[in-house]
Every structure is written in structure tokens, then in C-alpha cells.
Amino acid sequence: MSERIAFQGELGAYSHEACTTARPDAVPVPCASFEAAIEAVKSGQADFAMLPVENTTYGRVADNHRLIPDCGLFIVDEAFVRVRIALMANAGVPLSAVKSVRAHPVLLPQSATFLKKHGITPISAADSAGAAAELAASGAQDQGVLASELAAEIHGLKVLASDIEDHGHNTTRFVIMGREADMSRRGKLNMMTTFVFEVRNIPAALYKAMGGFATNGVNMTKLESYMVDGSFTATRFYADIDGHLEDPNVKLALEELDYFTSYIQIIGVYPADRER
């Protein structure tokens, strides 16, 4: 049987595109929310969840930043997907006839230059792929949608303009999460390790905890802080590092980290994406 991979959104969403890119043989399972995608994996309805964690233009995806550490799943892979924004409309509608477009609020400012040039009014929608489905059902002749070309293909819309985003580097990083951790070395490139930790309540604890990574030459590519139990004092941190748990320098760095922390949890060990 084919693997099943859950994602948030409608068919044609960028998360769906990430699924087809990273797991082309897997069956996509659309879910109403990130929580639902995670629950689909935990309940056995899906084998993996595809979750966006950060975008080069928009920044971190706050919902998943909050959900991932305590969701009970493990990162088994990552995928970098270039966000290519297309303007689509119903068949027979020329670009000159499009007066407004609907899209997720994240996409609208990323295409502001194109929309302004063509005098098109941006309108927020809960989901771009969902907006594409609604446009196809409505038959509207003066409206468009900003979404992926995959959404146009699925919903029978015509692409009027491609790659209209303001920034050519627009890329989203996704993590693929499963029920079981895979700590093996795999892939052709370097390995990544993701973990969360809480520092001990001592002066300069974070500074001292980070020292082990610097002295052992471990590259930390991401460090995010969390509010814990409603406190404005950040004591929990999320980190990505280059390397595998069995690498000597990573072992030494984590040993030093353990001395200055009250809690460490490994969330995943996985191959680095080729676009990293």
C-alpha cells in the first residue's frame, strides 16, 4: 500500500505541492488544520505529516513553531519548496478582465508589485487552494486567485501569469513528521538534528549552554525561544544544528548543553535538503 501524507489545506495548496515534490508516490491527505494533520498521523490515518516551519519572506510559521515540540511526532525529513505564485481565472477570462484576486493573506503582499501594475484589488481568503475551488465553482468572469499552478490544474482554471512574486528567493521549509524517530544516517548530504531544551535558572545559562556548540565547531542554523506556562521569561528553546548525534563534536556539545539545562528532547535526526 502507498504511504499517506497529511497536510493542512485543500488539494492544490503549497503544502500539497511539497508532498508531491518530496513524496511523489505518497497519497496526499488534505486536513482542515495543522492540528488535524498531526492527529491524522497519530491516529494512523496517515503515515507522515508535511508541516511548513519557515518562509524566506514571511518568516516562521508560528502555529507549527508552537505545535511541533509537544505533538508527539518526530522529524524524519525536511523539504525546501520554492513558492511560485500564479494568477489564475476561469477559462476564457483574459488578464485585462480580472478586477480582483483572492488568496491567503501571506501571498497578497508577496505579489503587490504585479497587482498594483495591473490595477487588481487583493482580497484575503482563508486558503488559496480553497479559493481556487470556489472560483471554479462560481464561474466568475472578473475574478482571479493567487495560488500554485497545481491548484489551477486540479480545479480546471487557466493560468494567466506565472512567477508573479516580488522576490525570486521565496522558499518555504517544510518538515516531514512521523510516529517513529529515525536516528540512522541516511541521504547523500549532511545530517541535521533538531531538539528543544530548557535552561537552568542560573545567571548566563543560555550563554553558557551555547558555548559548547561554538567551542566544538557545531553550526547552529536555528534558535527560537518559547514562552512557558504564560511567563514572559523565555526558558525553552528550539534549535537546529548541522550534524548527527554520533558525531564526536555534536556529542561533546550536547554533553555541555546538558550541564546547563533541566530538559532536553531530541525531535528529529534527518538528512539535510539539497537546497540547504
Side-chain angles (χ1 to χ4, degrees):
M1 295 180 62
S2 296
E3 293 177 336
R4 295 170 62 83
I5 184 164
F7 66 94
Q8 183 275 327
E10 302 278 350
L11 292 174
Y14 286 101
S15 291
H16 179 198
E17 186 175 12
C19 293
T20 61
T21 301
R23 294 285 195 275
D25 297 326
V27 177
V29 180
C31 298
S33 64
F34 295 127
E35 290 91 342
I38 290 169
E39 186 56 37
V41 179
K42 295 174 72 173
S43 67
Q45 297 176 43
D47 300 289
F48 301 102
M50 178 71 74
L51 303 176
V53 290
E54 53 196 330
N55 175 270
T56 54
T57 300
Y58 180 66
R60 71 179 183 178
V61 180
D63 287 349
N64 287 329
H65 174 73
R66 172 181 58 84
L67 289 169
I68 286 173
D70 298 317
C71 73
L73 302 181
F74 298 90
I75 301 173
V76 297
D77 214 341
E78 67 175 359
F80 284 63
V81 176
R82 172 79 161 79
V83 179
R84 299 184 181 278
I85 302 175
L87 189 156
M88 59 200 67
N90 283 306
V93 176
L95 178 59
S96 59
V98 176
K99 303 304 180 186
S100 64
V101 294
R102 298 179 66 223
H104 188 281
V106 171
L107 295 188
L108 297 175
Q110 295 180 16
S111 305
T113 300
F114 180 91
L115 297 181
K116 183 177 180 180
K117 176 182 177 181
H118 293 277
I120 299 173
T121 301
I123 301 173
S124 295
D127 180 84
S128 292
E134 292 168 3
L135 177 62
S138 73
Q141 298 295 295
D142 62 349
Q143 298 174 15
V145 163
L146 302 184
S148 68
E149 293 196 9
L150 178 61
E153 178 183 340
I154 288 173
H155 300 294
L157 299 174
K158 178 184 177 183
V159 174
L160 302 180
S162 300
D163 298 339
I164 66 171
E165 59 274 9
D166 290 347
H167 303 289
H169 60 71
N170 194 4
T171 301
T172 298
R173 177 185 176 228
F174 293 82
V175 293
I176 302 172
M177 304 196 74
R179 289 183 292 276
E180 303 293 333
D182 184 352
M183 302 296 183
S184 65
R185 292 185 186 273
R186 54 199 189 280
K188 298 180 180 179
L189 302 177
N190 296 331
M191 296 293 291
M192 301 291 299
T193 298
T194 295
F195 55 93
V196 293
F197 63 94
E198 294 183 11
V199 295
R200 294 167 55 196
N201 188 22
I202 58 176
L206 179 61
Y207 173 79
K208 295 174 182 177
M210 294 296 96
F213 295 95
T215 56
N216 289 289
V218 177
N219 183 32
M220 181 169 287
T221 61
K222 184 180 182 68
L223 181 64
E224 297 274 2
S225 62
Y226 287 85
M227 290 176 62
V228 180
D229 297 328
S231 170
F232 283 99
T233 302
T235 58
R236 179 182 288 187
F237 298 87
Y238 174 110
D240 293 336
I241 59 173
D242 287 335
H244 187 278
L245 294 174
E246 295 178 353
D247 293 342
N249 62 334
V250 172
K251 277 187 176 181
L252 290 171
L254 290 175
E255 286 174 4
E256 288 194 45
L257 177 68
D258 184 59
Y259 183 78
F260 296 106
T261 57
S262 57
Y263 169 83
I264 302 175
Q265 178 187 357
I266 303 298
I267 298 179
V269 180
Y270 49 94
D273 186 90
R274 67 175 64 89
E275 298 298 327
R276 181 175 278 280

